[in-house]
């Protein structure tokens, strides 16, 4: 299911104008894509935040000024480092019948068996790059780590991806491992 977000085109603004825009409850954004001009837009911070918190990902349709909805993927988000409010969003314009490259989040599920023996789970990556038709892009890829013992690891090549989804990330890229914790040795006191 695609989510529709209302948006409006906007003019180029200086820092003061962008700050005022954010104070009015809107987020500045840009829509870009191959063969198309970049489009500066603004959208509701509360609507975007609600969609982002839902964590579904996937295709969004931007409804702009009585035009046909524009299918897009979320490319990047900038957040204020202190308040964590959204301050800028980049969208990638897509064509439903063309293969696209994008990042998909990894959802680690379960508790590794190795942690019961004192192991520590080390997550190396929270996403992978994939190539797929837009309608086949999963919101996230679930990875069950419950069978991992100390010394076990999981790489991109071992993932079971949905049909039509091809990994772009290297097959030997490490995603997660269970390691023995480093033992802290006591340092003799300095005299």
């Amino acid at each position: 299911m695609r989510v529709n977000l209302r948006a409006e085109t906007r003019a180029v603004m200086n820092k003061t104008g962008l700050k005022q825009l954010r104070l009015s409850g809107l987020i500045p954004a840009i829509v870009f894509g191959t063969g198309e001009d970049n489009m500066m837009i603004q959208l509701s911070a509360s609507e975007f935040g609600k969609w982002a918190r839902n964590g579904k990902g996937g295709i969004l349709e931007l409804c702009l000024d009585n035009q046909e909805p524009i299918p897009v993927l979320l490319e990047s988000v900038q957040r204020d480092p202190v308040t964590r409010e959204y301050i800028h969003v980049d969208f990638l314009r897509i064509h439903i019948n063309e293969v696209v490259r994008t990042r998909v989040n990894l959802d680690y599920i379960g508790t590794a068996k190795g942690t019961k023996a004192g192991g520590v789970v080390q997550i190396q990556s929270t996403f992978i790059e994939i190539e797929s038709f837009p309608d086949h892009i999963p919101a996230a890829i679930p990875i069950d780590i419950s069978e991992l013992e100390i010394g076990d690891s999981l790489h991109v090549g071992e993932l079971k991806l949905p049909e039509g989804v091809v990994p772009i990330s290297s097959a030997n890229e490490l995603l997660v491992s269970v390691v023995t914790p480093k033992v802290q040795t006591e340092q003799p006191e300095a005299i």
Side-chain angles (χ1 to χ4, degrees):
M1 183 177 106
R2 294 187 194 148
V3 175
N4 291 320
L5 284 180
R6 284 177 286 128
E8 300 169 348
T9 56
R10 68 177 172 87
V12 176
M13 296 178 168
N14 60 17
K15 281 186 174 185
T16 305
L18 292 172
K19 186 175 183 179
Q20 291 300 319
L21 184 73
R22 291 182 190 106
L23 288 173
S24 70
L26 298 172
I27 304 172
I30 190 164
V31 178
F32 63 92
T34 56
E36 304 276 347
D37 289 336
N38 292 349
M39 181 186 315
M40 290 185 283
I41 63 169
Q42 60 194 27
L43 55 127
S44 165
S46 62
E47 282 185 37
F48 179 79
K50 196 181 302 180
W51 174 81
R53 279 189 302 280
N54 195 13
K56 293 291 184 197
I59 300 172
L60 277 172
E61 287 188 339
L62 296 177
C63 300
L64 286 162
D65 310 325
N66 298 324
Q67 296 178 18
E68 196 67 27
I70 301 170
V72 296
L73 291 174
L74 179 63
E75 187 68 18
S76 68
V77 174
Q78 293 174 19
R79 296 181 84 160
D80 184 282
V82 176
T83 65
R84 303 301 298 154
E85 291 179 8
Y86 298 104
I87 57 175
H88 194 274
V89 182
D90 291 345
F91 293 107
L92 173 65
R93 182 190 316 254
I94 59 171
H95 299 283
I96 300 302
N97 55 356
E98 292 179 12
V99 172
V100 295
R101 272 188 179 188
T102 189
R103 293 178 174 181
V104 176
N105 290 331
L106 302 174
D107 185 13
Y108 294 101
I109 299 168
T111 303
K113 284 183 180 178
T115 59
K116 294 177 182 145
V120 176
V121 174
Q122 287 188 335
I123 295 176
Q124 302 299 318
S125 185
T126 57
F127 65 87
I128 63 167
E129 286 195 41
I130 61 143
E131 197 172 69
S132 173
F133 284 103
D135 286 339
H136 294 119
I137 297 171
I141 297 172
I143 300 176
D144 185 5
I145 61 169
S146 58
E147 296 299 316
L148 295 180
E149 298 282 356
I150 292 177
D152 289 348
S153 59
L154 189 64
H155 298 82
V156 170
E158 300 170 80
L159 293 179
K160 291 177 178 39
L161 298 174
E163 189 174 329
V165 175
V166 177
I168 298 300
S169 298
S170 172
N172 61 1
E173 182 181 326
L174 179 64
L175 299 175
V176 62
S177 59
V178 181
V179 298
T180 306
K182 293 182 180 176
V183 179
Q184 294 285 334
T185 56
E186 284 190 38
Q187 299 292 326
E189 284 187 32
I191 303 178

